[in-house]
Amino acid sequence: MLDFFLDAYKDASITRIVLESLAFVFGILSVILARKESILTYPTGLIATVITTYLLWLAGYLGDMMINLYFSIMSVYGWWNWARKGGNKELLAITRTDFKEKIIGIALFLVTIIVVFGIYNFFDYEIKKENYVDILASGIFFTAMWYMAHKKIENWTLWIIGDIIVTPIYAYRGLGMLSLQYLIFTVLAILAYREWRKILQQRIA
């Protein structure tokens, strides 16, 4: 198992290894902070997603790159949305999605799939079998990030599904550190869902 991860980096530059390590550490830290409802989840997450966007661009994985570019943008939005409810105002509370927000989530999922598929075609990028998984994961992650910015508990359900999907894909591509990161993300997302559900139940009790 260790050899599998090490082999992927035997020809990698020091710069790539350092950048992937930073993205790994800050990505994990971001999810841990999100579980605790800490606004620091966004600056730490932003560091991870910007680095990952750059690495995926170098690797030529357009769909994954678009996901992380969106993560970067939504990190800024989520940071602002969580912060503006701070200070003397009531903090943004954990809630469940209502009917309107569910419709928005479905629409965002579908639009994302169409847009990412269109980007592949626009750049005349060969769509391989695993790229269809990228496109599906894009829709899931885009919606999850939007729900997270609004502290909707369903964001964790989507993260869990998306993480389970992409973990073996990154392993298949030889991106061992990213694969391990998303495996850890899956576990953390499950724990975060349980914690947010407990907070939500206490709030509405």
Side-chain angles (χ1 to χ4, degrees):
M1 187 68 173
L2 182 61
D3 289 339
F4 167 77
F5 287 106
L6 294 179
D7 286 345
Y9 297 96
K10 61 183 180 181
D11 297 321
S13 66
I14 296 297
T15 301
R16 177 192 158 189
I17 294 173
V18 169
L19 287 176
E20 280 201 34
S21 299
L22 288 173
F24 180 90
V25 171
F26 280 100
I28 297 298
L29 181 59
S30 175
V31 179
I32 292 173
L33 290 168
R35 177 184 169 188
K36 300 297 183 182
E37 285 190 85
S38 171
I39 197 170
L40 292 177
T41 186
Y42 286 109
T44 52
L46 189 59
I47 293 171
T49 56
V50 168
I51 293 174
T52 304
T53 298
Y54 174 70
L55 290 172
L56 290 169
W57 175 71
L58 290 179
Y61 297 127
L62 190 61
D64 297 306
M65 185 199 76
M66 293 300 297
I67 292 173
N68 280 273
L69 179 60
Y70 169 79
F71 284 172
S72 300
I73 295 170
M74 283 301 294
S75 290
V76 175
Y77 170 72
W79 192 353
W80 169 80
N81 198 41
W82 284 29
R84 74 189 180 94
K85 296 294 180 73
N88 296 323
K89 300 178 182 178
E90 182 182 357
L91 292 174
L92 183 64
I94 296 170
T95 55
R96 294 191 181 276
T97 54
D98 56 26
F99 179 75
K100 178 182 177 181
E101 289 162 340
K102 283 182 172 63
I103 295 300
I104 292 173
I106 293 171
L108 183 57
F109 172 76
L110 294 175
V111 168
T112 300
I113 288 177
I114 293 169
V115 170
V116 175
F117 185 79
I119 289 171
Y120 272 105
N121 282 278
F122 179 79
F123 288 100
D124 199 25
Y125 193 91
E126 181 185 359
I127 303 179
K128 301 176 183 178
K129 289 181 180 179
E130 65 266 23
N131 294 132
Y132 287 104
V133 180
D134 290 340
I135 294 170
L136 175 64
S138 297
I140 294 171
F141 285 142
F142 275 41
T143 308
M145 196 70 181
W146 188 83
Y147 279 160
M148 184 177 178
H150 294 273
K151 279 197 181 178
K152 301 300 176 180
I153 193 171
E154 289 84 356
N155 89 88
W156 293 116
T157 304
L158 295 178
W159 285 124
I160 293 166
I161 295 170
D163 292 343
I164 290 172
I165 290 173
V166 302
T167 296
I169 292 297
Y170 282 130
Y172 169 76
R173 289 170 171 168
L175 298 171
M177 201 171 293
L178 278 176
S179 177
L180 178 60
Q181 183 183 49
Y182 275 89
L183 179 61
I184 295 173
F185 281 168
T186 304
V187 176
L188 291 176
I190 292 171
L191 295 174
Y193 174 79
R194 294 176 62 183
E195 188 159 334
W196 278 36
R197 185 178 62 180
K198 181 188 291 186
I199 293 170
L200 182 60
Q201 289 173 340
Q202 290 173 344
R203 189 168 290 154
I204 63 178

